[in-house]
Amino acid sequence: MKKTDISDHTFGGDWTEEKLARVREYLTQYRQVFKKQTFLRTWYVDGFAGTGTRADRETLPVQSTTDHLFEDVYDDAETNTFRKGSATIALGLVDPFDRYLFIDQRQRHVDALASAVKESHPALLERCEFKRGNANEVLKQWCAERDWKSERAVVFLDPYGMQVEWTTIEALAATRGVDLWYLFPLGIGVSRLLTRDGAIDELWCRRLDLLFGTADWRNRFYNVRQQEDLFGIREVVERDAPAEKIQTFIEERLKTCFVKVADGLILRNSRANPLYSLCFAASNERGAPIALRIAQYILKKGKPKGR
Ligand SMILES: C[S@@+](CC[C@H](N)C(=O)[O-])C[C@H]1O[C@@H](n2cnc3c(N)ncnc32)[C@H](O)[C@@H]1O
């Protein structure tokens, strides 16, 4: 695969647009609510920030992602121009956040984003922190350093694949100040690892354990039944993991640590294959009911019937 020096990283499709439009609407409404509460400092945190710009495969040479397992998902280009990424969208709000934290594992992406902010939003540069590193580690440290009596945040986790660890989700929930948007890798990650007969590589099992924070997925996604044949009775393991069931499971998991969790939206590619579930969870006891109402409305908007 050819490597490139360009700063724009490549992914896309209508589902990407759909995801970003909904998160943008939430950010706008969130700032509307908080602009009157000036005693609270609001953060926008992007755990997988990218470069600030997206471009599709037709306009850019191919480059590798951090996780080759999920790479082909990003071949599903359905857009044909450079588009704004989540970081640029969050900075472009009419009423911006008080603080921004952008995290990316790749130095090249962090540098490109910092330059883009300098150029397009110089007035907001002082509010921004750019950190290169693993989102799991950076986020846990960031949560611990905040004063959650006076700070609130919207955290957006938009990984390519299964990079988010459950302990990170728990740390975000424990702040009691974070609203979380999480692009959960339902189709491109979990579904792919769940083999038909339940024989799954140990490393992949470990990865699923880390993602869900439990080994219970084994019981949820596989049925064991007795089958009689010429040789007697034997146990047969069968996969039972449609996208909706995986979505229900991650939402149940989020409910173990967040105050409110919305009914997520399954995002599909043009061939209607489920890729991700866009999940929302609120951790602040007082704010959660209104946060949920807004997020649920946004998630349901324009949703095709039966999905
Ligand atoms: C899907 S892209 C993010 C796109 C971005 N939200 C946007 O709208 O432009 C995922 C990004 O996560 C970065 N990444 C991958 N693994 C990471 C990790 N463990 N921690 C932080 N960033 C990571 C990649 O370098 C890539 O830039």
Side-chain angles (χ1 to χ4, degrees):
M1 200 169 273
K2 197 179 162 205
K3 282 243 170 200
T4 91
D5 284 334
I6 48 167
S7 62
D8 304 273
H9 61 283
T10 308
F11 64 99
D14 283 348
W15 55 275
T16 309
E17 282 302 299
E18 210 182 322
K19 159 191 84 178
L20 290 176
R22 288 173 206 268
V23 171
R24 180 200 343 237
E25 187 164 344
Y26 187 79
L27 298 179
T28 304
Q29 298 210 31
Y30 184 92
R31 282 300 305 145
Q32 280 296 313
V33 171
F34 277 94
K35 88 175 168 197
K36 293 163 213 138
Q37 304 182 38
T38 46
F39 54 95
L40 287 171
R41 171 196 267 192
T42 58
W43 285 80
Y44 170 77
V45 178
D46 207 321
F48 298 79
T51 59
T53 311
R54 304 180 288 116
D56 74 77
R57 297 248 177 206
E58 278 157 21
T59 54
L60 290 174
V62 170
Q63 68 179 54
S64 62
T65 68
T66 49
D67 196 334
H68 69 280
L69 259 182
F70 310 114
E71 208 167 44
D72 55 320
V73 175
Y74 295 90
D75 283 328
D76 195 35
E78 290 163 359
T79 51
N80 53 19
T81 51
F82 288 86
R83 301 261 173 93
K84 285 176 186 168
S86 53
T88 311
I89 284 169
L91 287 160
L93 299 173
V94 173
D95 186 22
F97 279 69
D98 302 310
R99 303 282 304 155
Y100 290 86
L101 171 61
F102 299 112
I103 307 162
D104 203 283
Q105 188 165 262
R106 289 188 182 186
Q107 188 64 53
R108 192 165 56 78
H109 286 189
V110 175
D111 293 346
L113 180 57
S115 308
V117 176
K118 216 178 272 177
E119 199 163 295
S120 320
H121 300 281
L124 295 179
L125 198 55
E126 278 201 341
R127 302 185 190 195
C128 297
E129 284 177 39
F130 303 91
K131 294 223 158 124
R132 190 193 77 80
N134 182 332
N136 293 292
E137 287 153 27
V138 177
L139 283 170
K140 279 182 221 166
Q141 194 184 343
W142 174 82
C143 285
E145 286 167 359
R146 306 269 65 76
D147 171 8
W148 290 105
K149 287 194 196 80
S150 60
E151 298 183 87
R152 295 288 180 272
V154 179
V155 174
F156 182 37
L157 300 181
D158 182 18
Y160 285 129
M162 296 172 54
Q163 289 90 352
V164 178
E165 292 168 12
W166 184 255
T167 49
T168 306
I169 300 290
E170 283 180 324
L172 295 170
T175 62
R176 293 295 177 235
V178 164
D179 285 358
L180 171 68
W181 284 92
Y182 179 15
L183 195 74
F184 182 76
L186 166 155
I188 60 126
V190 177
S191 191
R192 286 182 176 197
L193 300 195
L194 299 173
T195 56
R196 273 176 167 229
D197 61 359
I200 306 175
D201 185 282
E202 228 0 87
L203 271 177
W204 290 11
C205 287
R206 177 83 194 112
R207 201 152 172 195
L208 286 161
D209 292 351
L210 286 175
L211 183 82
F212 286 115
T214 173
D216 285 354
W217 56 266
R218 290 174 172 84
N219 305 326
R220 286 300 282 270
F221 301 138
Y222 288 97
N223 297 326
V224 182
R225 67 180 173 83
Q226 310 270 334
Q227 185 173 290
E228 195 169 359
D229 57 23
L230 281 177
F231 306 101
I233 295 174
R234 60 189 180 96
E235 284 196 335
V236 180
V237 178
E238 279 172 350
R239 184 187 132 122
D240 178 19
E244 293 72 17
K245 199 166 173 183
I246 301 174
Q247 185 181 41
T248 303
F249 189 56
I250 185 60
E251 286 169 13
E252 274 176 33
R253 294 294 299 141
L254 290 169
K255 281 175 190 164
T256 63
C257 51
F258 279 87
V259 175
K260 296 272 184 202
V261 176
D263 298 330
L265 175 72
I266 295 181
L267 299 173
R268 296 166 193 269
N269 64 11
S270 57
R271 295 176 298 282
N273 296 321
L275 300 176
Y276 294 92
S277 176
L278 184 57
C279 300
F280 175 82
S283 73
N284 184 261
E285 196 76 48
R286 277 190 66 192
I290 170 109
L292 187 84
R293 248 199 326 275
I294 296 170
Q296 197 66 79
Y297 173 77
I298 291 169
L299 282 164
K300 285 212 171 115
K301 235 169 145 179
K303 186 177 164 183
K305 282 213 172 76
R307 279 199 187 172

